Amino acid sequence: MKVTNAEFIISAVGPDQYPVDALPEIALAGRSNVGKSSLINRMINRKNLARTSSTPGKTQHMNYYRINEALYFVDFPGYGYAKVSKTQRAAWGKMIEKYMLERQTLKLVLMVVDLRHPPTKDDVMMYDWLQHYDIPICVVATKADKIPKSRWQKHVKQMKESLLLRSTDLFVMFSSELGVGKEELWAVIQSFTENGDSPQSGAVPQEGQQQENP
C-alpha cells in the first residue's frame, strides 16, 4: 500500500472523543516498549509521526492516526508496565475492553510482541481474551533485526507454540529497522479494511526473503 497522507488526529480517553467518520480502525495492542510506535512509523514511511520513547508507559491514551483518509491506526496504552499505578492500569483496561467489545469500526487488532523473547503472561492473556470474544487478530512479532537471521524460525516457532497459534492464525514477523514484514502486514490490513475477507493464514517471511530498504 502506498501511503500518501498520514496524520495524528487525537489522543482519546473515551467514546465521546473517538472519530465519527466511520473509517475502518486497526488497533495496536502490546506491552510497553514493544515497538508499536516504530511499527506505525515504518508502515507509513514517516520517522516520528508516532512518538517513540525509551520510557515505558508513555502512551496513556488511545492515539488515533488517519492514513490516506481511508483508515485509522489506533495505538493503545502499553500493558504490563509495573510503575503505572494499579488504578491507572485498571482505568486503561476498562477503556480498552469497552472499545474492543463495542467499537463497530474496529476491523482488526495487531497484537504486537517482541520476537526476541517468549510471550509474557500479559501477552498470553491478551491473545486468549481476543480469541474468546472472536475479535480478529494478527500477531506481529517485532524487532526481528535484533536476532540473527539463522535464529528467526526458532523464535517464530517458540512464539507460535507459546501462544497456541493454529496454522490458520495470522502471524507476521516484522522489523521497523529493516522493513521486513511491512508489505505482508499491509496486505493483511487491506484484506480486513477493503473487502472484509481475512486471509487463510499468515505466512512468516523466510530467511531468504528480500528485505525492503529503509
Side-chain angles (χ1 to χ4, degrees):
M1 177 173 176
K2 183 178 180 180
V3 176
T4 57
N5 181 265
E7 56 185 329
F8 170 76
I9 300 300
I10 192 172
S11 288
V13 294
D16 59 328
Q17 294 182 312
Y18 299 162
V20 295
D21 50 14
L23 291 177
E25 296 179 7
I26 306 298
L28 290 90
R31 66 174 180 80
S32 295
N33 214 25
V34 76
K36 293 188 280 88
S37 296
S38 295
L39 184 153
I40 291 172
N41 288 331
R42 166 56 80 169
M43 292 293 286
I44 62 177
N45 299 318
R46 296 277 288 274
K47 289 186 177 180
N48 58 3
L49 181 64
R51 299 280 182 88
T52 60
S53 173
S54 59
T55 304
K58 185 176 180 61
T59 300
Q60 300 184 13
H61 307 88
M62 294 170 62
N63 290 331
Y64 270 82
Y65 301 90
R66 188 165 57 210
I67 315 300
N68 283 359
E69 305 292 336
L71 61 92
Y72 288 102
F73 283 148
V74 187
D75 188 12
F76 288 170
Y79 54 73
Y81 183 49
K83 290 187 178 180
V84 175
S85 71
K86 290 183 179 180
T87 301
Q88 184 67 67
R89 287 203 304 272
W92 291 350
K94 289 179 181 178
M95 175 178 68
I96 292 171
E97 180 175 324
K98 183 177 178 66
Y99 169 88
M100 289 200 284
L101 292 178
E102 299 179 4
R103 186 67 168 165
Q104 294 185 352
T105 47
L106 174 64
K107 301 301 180 182
L108 175 69
V109 174
L110 304 181
M111 197 185 106
V112 186
V113 294
D114 189 331
L115 184 64
R116 298 174 297 176
H117 310 296
T120 65
K121 290 182 180 179
D122 289 323
D123 290 328
V124 174
M125 288 176 60
M126 173 62 78
Y127 186 78
D128 289 347
W129 189 89
L130 292 167
Q131 286 274 41
H132 176 76
Y133 287 102
D134 200 27
I135 297 171
I137 320 164
C138 177
V139 176
V140 184
T142 60
K143 306 192 179 184
D145 54 283
K146 306 297 184 183
I147 303 173
K149 290 183 184 180
S150 61
R151 293 170 54 193
W152 278 0
Q153 297 308 313
K154 176 182 177 181
H155 284 257
V156 166
K157 184 174 183 288
Q158 179 186 58
M159 186 68 69
K160 287 186 172 184
E161 289 179 347
S162 298
L163 290 173
L164 300 179
L165 265 64
R166 300 160 297 189
S167 60
T168 54
D169 290 339
L170 293 166
F171 182 99
V172 175
M173 183 174 62
F174 196 89
S175 167
S176 298
E177 292 294 323
L178 302 176
V180 170
K182 176 186 171 184
E183 296 306 322
E184 183 183 1
L185 186 54
W186 266 126
V188 171
I189 291 170
Q190 287 180 282
S191 74
F192 282 89
T193 58
E194 292 185 353
N195 55 32
D197 296 327
S198 61
Q200 292 301 307
S201 64
V204 177
Q206 300 300 309
E207 294 180 18
Q209 177 180 354
Q210 184 177 359
Q211 298 170 358
E212 176 183 327
N213 292 327

